[in-house]
Amino acid sequence: MTHLFLVAVGGAAGSVCRHYLAVFLAHRITVGEFPVATWTVNVVGCLAAGIIMGLSERLTLLSAEARLLIFSGLLGGFTTFSAFAVETVTLLRRGDTGTALLYAFLSVTISLAALGLGLSLSQVIPWKGEPPV
């Protein structure tokens, strides 16, 4: 139960941080239709994950609970893209290049396809009355 609490607290904090950073950026930076806020959140999350991952490996600073709070909770709530990046780099560092490339390719392509499928399905699901606003 403690593990779930750590993930939940970290996830809530990460989600709030993501929201405030995205709102802050959206009001200050625009580059056409490019989603600057989301891109920045993903890059910042990956940078933070890399720094924390590297330091925790080199210095053995973090307990299993702290890693759960930070990686699964805080960074997971901030951006799941950081989890994807950590998993991909971990596979590469283990020498599982083929698996890493397959994981990266399938993650991007299948996720985009699943989103498209979900959008299509949302158009054919019958509603009783008006759809919720």
Side-chain angles (χ1 to χ4, degrees):
M1 193 63 152
T2 302
H3 291 111
L4 290 177
F5 179 74
L6 291 171
V7 172
V9 168
S15 295
V16 169
C17 289
R18 178 185 63 230
H19 171 74
Y20 279 113
L21 179 58
V23 168
F24 175 82
L25 292 171
H27 289 94
R28 286 162 182 79
I29 302 171
T30 56
V31 182
E33 295 298 315
F34 189 82
V36 174
T38 301
W39 181 83
T40 302
V41 164
N42 288 336
V43 171
V44 168
C46 289
L47 176 64
I51 291 169
I52 296 165
M53 182 178 172
L55 287 175
S56 68
E57 287 174 351
R58 188 167 51 108
L59 304 174
T60 19
L61 293 173
L62 302 175
S63 66
E65 290 79 12
R67 285 193 306 274
L68 195 59
L69 173 75
I70 293 168
F71 288 107
S72 296
L74 182 67
L75 291 174
F78 189 68
T79 170
T80 57
F81 197 81
S82 61
F84 162 75
V86 166
E87 290 167 347
T88 303
V89 168
T90 299
L91 288 167
L92 288 170
R93 290 169 79 188
R94 277 197 308 220
D96 294 331
T97 305
T99 303
L101 293 174
L102 180 65
Y103 176 61
F105 174 76
L106 290 176
S107 293
V108 173
T109 57
I110 301 301
S111 294
L112 291 173
L115 178 75
L117 177 61
L119 288 171
S120 296
L121 289 173
S122 74
Q123 300 302 308
V124 298
I125 295 172
W127 289 95
K128 290 183 179 180
E130 291 294 313
V133 177

